Amino acid sequence: MDTRTRKILFAVIESYIGIAAPVGSRYISKRYGFGLSSATIRNTMSDLEELGFLSQPYASSGRVPTGMAYRFFVESLLECGMSQNNNLLSMLSDKATDTKASIDDFLAIISRLMSDCSHYMGVVLSRTTESSILRKIEFYSYKKDMIVAILLTEYGVVRHMIVESSGRLTQADMNEISRYLNDEYAGSTLRDIKKALLEDVAEERVQCDTLKEKAKCLCKTVFSSINADIFISGMSELINLPDFDDIHKIKELSKAIDDKSLMINLLDKILQSEGVQVIVGSDPLLDEKALSLVASTFYEKGRPFGVLGLIGPQRMDYANAISIVSTSANFLSKQLGFI
């Protein structure tokens, strides 16, 4: 693509991002000039339409960018490097200083701040629970045939869970079970413990008769519920955009976002990638709703710890979104001791 055509394409994209309406050649001529006539710009826009970069919603209307155009535009932005969002960095620093919240609470705060700064939906996928190293596990009686399980990790209390007892257990039994599990698994990640317990139960066909077997049965129930956590903020910000201007679109979007497994699968694709990743369509959750995802992995001591990002319409302000995501990921990685 020659320089002139590239300038006109990027002008159409930037204009459409700003006004959320089809862009005509006269608008580009008046706003950008380029020293070109409206007719020359119109002809170039027609060529871009034939190449698949622009489309015309209806006859005699202006043009709008296609997914291919956005992807081309994003590649150019990423080649230019990512600027730091100083306003967001200041807010993140203030929250990190002021809050005594757990890591999960702080991730929820970050998702909200990203949404506030962008007016898109902030999402954070945390592998905190699975990746955490067990420090201690305790069990306590709760009502009839119910047990409270408390998992403490290197990050503090991760989760309180109420589960059904796999058999009548006294508090003395549960104390013994706690001692056995702490001796056996303290220092291992919750993911590894979960895998080991599930394999043991499957191989030994545990009947939950002995105290050791009861321990494994009880922990199978507790650890089977340990999965990735996802924090989502800013649904209201998203649906207030003109891209979601009817109730059907809003209902479909809300239904898709509520399916956490779809969101986790989408963000999981980013987990092993380095740097900011931008997905325009190319995924069932995004493509069907004309959405884009700007996301980045964040790290804890060199290991991928989670993914944070922004979900917005394909007509999103990519430069701002990339800056917000990059700033947030770098800040969080520093907080977790990676840098």
Side-chain angles (χ1 to χ4, degrees), residues 9-182:
L9 173 60
F10 285 6
V12 173
I13 294 172
E14 290 169 357
S15 298
Y16 185 64
I17 288 171
I19 65 177
V23 181
S25 57
R26 289 190 64 190
Y27 182 91
I28 297 298
S29 178
K30 288 181 178 180
R31 182 176 178 186
Y32 293 90
F34 294 144
L36 302 171
S37 68
S38 179
T40 299
I41 293 173
R42 182 167 55 253
N43 289 336
T44 302
M45 290 170 66
S46 179
D47 292 340
L48 285 166
E49 184 177 359
E50 290 183 9
L51 292 170
F53 288 97
L54 299 178
S55 65
Q56 194 170 29
Y58 49 89
S60 75
S61 77
R63 266 79 170 187
V64 301
T66 63
M68 184 167 72
Y70 285 125
R71 284 187 282 272
F72 183 69
F73 179 64
V74 165
E75 286 175 8
S76 176
L77 290 175
L78 293 175
E79 286 174 3
C80 293
M82 289 157 282
S83 61
Q84 181 172 271
N85 188 306
N86 291 322
N87 182 47
L88 174 59
L89 185 61
S90 177
M91 289 189 289
L92 289 169
S93 298
D94 289 343
K95 290 295 183 181
T97 301
D98 295 343
T99 186
K100 294 182 180 179
S102 68
I103 182 65
D104 282 354
D105 289 338
F106 192 61
L107 294 180
I109 290 170
I110 288 178
S111 72
R112 187 174 68 250
L113 287 177
M114 288 196 303
S115 176
D116 291 344
C117 289
S118 65
H119 304 297
Y120 303 132
M121 189 165 64
V123 293
V124 180
L125 174 70
S126 168
R127 290 294 182 185
T128 310
T129 305
E130 288 185 323
S131 302
S132 293
I133 295 172
L134 180 69
R135 181 181 296 170
K136 190 176 183 181
I137 185 168
E138 297 177 349
F139 299 100
Y140 298 96
S141 298
Y142 177 73
K143 296 183 178 180
K144 184 179 180 181
D145 296 329
M146 302 296 286
I147 294 173
V148 176
I150 302 177
L151 279 70
L152 295 95
T153 72
E154 57 189 335
Y155 298 107
V157 176
V158 169
R159 185 166 297 175
H160 297 71
M161 284 171 281
I162 299 175
V163 298
E164 292 185 12
S165 173
S166 55
R168 294 197 62 83
L169 294 170
T170 65
Q171 186 60 53
D173 290 335
M174 286 184 281
N175 292 342
E176 188 63 30
I177 288 173
S178 297
R179 280 193 291 271
Y180 162 72
L181 292 171
N182 290 327

Side-chain angles (χ1 to χ4, degrees), residues 268-283:
D268 251 344
K269 296 176 182 178
I270 309 294
L271 193 59
Q272 301 301 325
S273 302
E274 294 185 6
V276 175
Q277 306 294 312
V278 181
I279 302 177
V280 182
S282 306
D283 180 277

Side-chain angles (χ1 to χ4, degrees), residues 206-224:
V206 175
Q207 300 299 313
C208 300
D209 293 331
T210 68
L211 196 60
K212 181 178 178 180
E213 290 168 347
K214 287 178 181 179
K216 290 185 177 180
C217 287
L218 177 58
C219 282
K220 178 185 176 183
T221 303
V222 172
F223 282 87
S224 62

Side-chain angles (χ1 to χ4, degrees), residues 223-246:
F223 282 87
S224 62
S225 65
I226 293 174
N227 294 299
D229 293 317
I230 188 165
F231 306 89
I232 300 174
S233 299
M235 180 68 176
S236 60
E237 297 276 6
L238 199 58
I239 64 177
N240 282 330
L241 295 173
D243 309 79
F244 306 99
D245 55 1
D246 67 62

